[in-house]
Each structure stands twice: as C-alpha cells, then as structure tokens.
Amino acid sequence: RKHQVMLDYSVDYVRQAGKTGRKVFKWKTLTLDKGAAIILEKKHPMRLTSVRALYPGSHKVELQLNGQALAEGSFTLRS
C-alpha cells in the first residue's frame, strides 16, 4: 500500500535583539510504500536577501512530515 507524504522544513532565524522568527519552506511530496526507507539531502542557502537579514546566533531547523514535527537540529551562524 502506498502513502503520500509531504515534507517541509522550518528555520527559526535569529532576529534583531535575539528574538527568533520561523519560516516554513515546502520541500517535497512523495509517494512511498508502507515501511519504505529513503535518504534525502537538502542544502539551504543562508544569504542576505531584501526580505531577511541574517544575524549571528543559534538557528533551529525542524523537519515536518505532513505538518507534524519529526526531527530538529540547530546550527550557529557566526558573524
């Protein structure tokens, strides 16, 4: 039996004054057999944009499967 799953990820960006702001990014929609295992790799560009300034500090990343948190990690952005 096949299942359709939607993978998204979010980044909690460090904002000015140490606050954070979350942005959810759409990633993939997959159709998988029940019990199937897959390996996925994703690179996310961390560059200045007119919409989002980058500030140093600990940024959280969360993987979401069908809208539910599945795993999380973090990284430190240095100035």
Side-chain angles (χ1 to χ4, degrees), residues 14-71:
V14 173
R15 299 282 188 212
Q16 210 166 16
K19 296 181 181 183
T20 60
R22 176 172 284 196
K23 171 69 177 147
V24 177
F25 298 92
K26 299 298 181 189
W27 188 7
K28 284 185 175 286
T29 300
L30 303 167
T31 302
L32 301 172
D33 291 324
K34 185 175 181 178
I38 59 170
I39 296 173
L40 297 171
E41 192 173 302
K42 175 73 175 157
K43 292 183 180 182
H44 181 81
M46 294 295 289
R47 61 179 168 255
L48 294 173
T49 66
S50 59
V51 176
R52 187 175 301 109
L54 297 177
Y55 297 97
S58 180
H59 294 64
K60 186 173 103 173
V61 179
E62 184 177 80
L63 179 64
Q64 299 174 1
L65 177 68
N66 293 336
Q68 300 295 316
L70 183 64

